[in-house]
Structure formats: structure tokens, C-alpha cells
Amino acid sequence: MFVEERQNLILEDLQENGKVLVKDLSTRFGVTPDLIRKDLAFLESKGKCKKIYGGAILNRLNVHLEDANSRKNVNSKEKQKIAQMAYDLIEPNMTVFLDISTTNIELAKLLVLRPISGITVVTNMLDVIQILSTSQIHSIFIGGEFDYARNGFVGNMCDEFLQRFHFDLAFLGVVGIDLESKSVMTYMPNDGQTKRIVLKQSKKAYMLADSDKFYQMGNYEYAKVDAFYGILQTIKSNKK
């Protein structure tokens, strides 16, 4: 096997699992641990991973400069699958909060396409309310300080209004998830504060996480993983 081929396979493992171990790769490829360490050093020099004791982890991408519009079509198939999972949890007459999340755009489309009797949907995302406005769904829009990059509202006015609600379900977006520290991250503190309030006011809150979220970093930790009732996720596989 050529060196480049082996390194590409190592990178595939990193992208799928988030980390690799020298001893496992050495056994898999039938080469010495020193050769694997050289492969990992090369991948690290290209910004693909970070070496740790006994192996390497995938470099986490900080995407805090990306806006909502640029993310709408990223992993769209995964987001549609997650939206379907969320839709299946909603029961008639529930009050549901949809956070600033491009996955919640897909969920709003499903709710318009297949309305659920008696539900109330509360949201602070402009895209979501625009979609819901084309239906007869009872919808409440939370205003406040407009975040142009996220196309939604955050800040003190938004937070004060949200504290008056009690949600049966809430579906919250995340920027990054670090399972090692159990951190759930977003872009900025004002968005994080809004999400924390929703967590507190919800009977059940779910994270919406396509596969990229496990390899990304946000700027601000707004919760720990165990603060959520559950996580709705997809796992992207690179295996043929």
C-alpha cells in the first residue's frame, strides 16, 4: 500500500470516529508504530488532525463566522432526517419551541406539510416563522435583539418573554459538541443565554446534531450534554 493511500484511510477513520490510536493503525496496516506516528505527524502538519498521546484526534473546526444562510444547504439530507425524528416526537396540543437552527427550518416545512392538531409553535428564528406563516398553525414569534448572521432574535427582551412560557418540547440547535468535556456549544453568549432559558422552561429539550457538530467548536458553552432529554443525530459513514 502506498503511503498516500494509507494516510487517506487514516483520515477517513478520523472523520468517522473523531480519533485514532497508533496501536490499532499499526495492526490494521501491518506497519510499525513509528511509521504510523510519521503519518499522523504529516496529517497534523496539513491541519487535518492533532496528535495526542497514543494517537490523534480530528481537528475541530471553529465555524463562528458562518451565517445561517451559508449553512442552510450544508448536510441538508441529514437535517431532513433529524427533522423527521423531531416531528415524530410532537403530539397533538403540545407547545413546542423551535430554536435558531437550520434543522428547525426543515422541521417547520414538515409541520406545514403535515400539520399536527392543536399544537402551538414558538420560535425566535425568522426563517421558521416565515414558513409557518403559510399555514394555519398557531405560531408565536419571539422578538428582541436581531442577530443578522443567525437570522433570529436573542438578548434581554427575548429572554424575558421566554421566561413566561412552559414548553412541552424544545428543539435546540448546536454549533459543536465535545463529548470529552460533555460541552454543548453555540456562537455567542447572548444566543447561549437564550438557549439556557429554553432548557429551563422545557419539559423535554432535544439537541439537533448532524454529524459535523461532533467535529466543530463554538465560542461559548451553553450547557452540558446531560442537560438535554435527548439528542437527535445522524452519523455520517465514510465506509463504502
Side-chain angles (χ1 to χ4, degrees):
M1 180 182 293
F2 293 111
V3 173
E4 183 178 353
E5 183 181 359
R6 184 176 65 245
Q7 290 171 351
N8 285 337
L9 290 172
I10 292 172
L11 186 56
E12 284 185 7
D13 276 359
L14 278 164
Q15 290 171 338
E16 182 174 352
N17 302 309
K19 67 181 292 185
V20 292
L21 297 176
V22 170
K23 62 179 182 179
D24 292 343
L25 294 174
S26 176
T27 300
R28 175 185 174 186
F29 295 115
V31 297
T32 65
D34 282 343
L35 196 55
I36 295 297
R37 291 188 189 98
K38 289 179 180 178
D39 289 335
L40 296 179
F42 174 79
L43 291 173
E44 184 179 48
S45 72
K46 298 297 181 180
K48 303 296 186 181
C49 71
K50 178 181 178 182
K51 289 178 66 181
I52 60 172
Y53 181 78
I57 59 175
L58 192 68
N59 263 354
R60 288 182 171 270
L61 175 66
N62 191 316
V63 294
H64 72 280
L65 295 179
E66 294 183 10
D67 61 29
N69 285 328
S70 69
R71 302 193 316 274
K72 285 180 184 177
N73 297 319
V74 176
N75 292 339
S76 58
K77 295 294 185 183
E78 288 189 70
K79 291 173 182 176
Q80 289 164 7
K81 290 178 181 178
I82 294 170
Q84 181 63 59
M85 296 178 204
Y87 177 90
D88 291 340
L89 294 171
I90 302 173
E91 298 177 4
N93 303 313
M94 280 186 165
T95 298
V96 182
F97 182 78
L98 303 189
D99 181 40
I100 298 174
S101 163
T102 52
T103 302
N104 275 333
I105 295 174
E106 300 300 329
L107 177 53
K109 293 176 183 177
L110 283 177
L111 290 171
V112 170
L113 185 65
R114 303 199 299 275
I116 299 173
S117 174
I119 66 169
T120 295
V121 178
V122 183
T123 185
N124 59 336
M125 188 173 192
L126 194 56
D127 300 81
V128 170
I129 201 66
Q130 286 174 332
I131 293 167
L132 295 177
S133 69
T134 65
S135 73
Q136 298 299 312
I137 296 170
H138 183 217
S139 305
I140 299 174
F141 188 48
I142 305 294
E145 177 186 346
F146 187 59
D147 186 330
Y148 287 91
R150 316 305 160 220
N151 216 22
F153 288 84
V154 293
N156 291 336
M157 291 177 61
C158 176
D159 297 346
E160 183 179 350
F161 199 16
L162 282 170
Q163 290 179 49
R164 303 178 188 182
F165 284 91
H166 292 280
F167 305 111
D168 296 298
L169 288 177
F171 298 107
L172 298 175
V174 300
V175 172
I177 304 166
D178 187 343
L179 293 179
E180 186 174 350
S181 64
K182 298 184 179 179
S183 297
V184 182
M185 291 163 283
T186 185
Y187 297 99
M188 300 298 288
N190 54 5
D191 181 42
Q193 175 64 18
T194 298
K195 293 177 190 295
R196 276 203 300 269
I197 290 171
V198 173
L199 276 169
K200 182 179 178 182
Q201 301 300 111
S202 303
K203 290 181 182 177
K204 295 179 180 179
Y206 289 86
M207 248 188 287
L208 306 176
D210 60 76
S211 59
D212 284 351
K213 305 304 183 185
F214 295 92
Y215 309 118
Q216 294 178 174
M217 290 287 288
N219 292 346
Y220 185 80
E221 177 188 299
Y222 76 87
K224 294 295 186 181
V225 171
D226 58 9
F228 292 84
Y229 188 83
I231 176 170
L232 305 181
Q233 67 180 100
T234 56
I235 302 297
K236 186 187 295 183
S237 175
N238 293 312
K239 292 182 179 180
K240 304 297 184 182

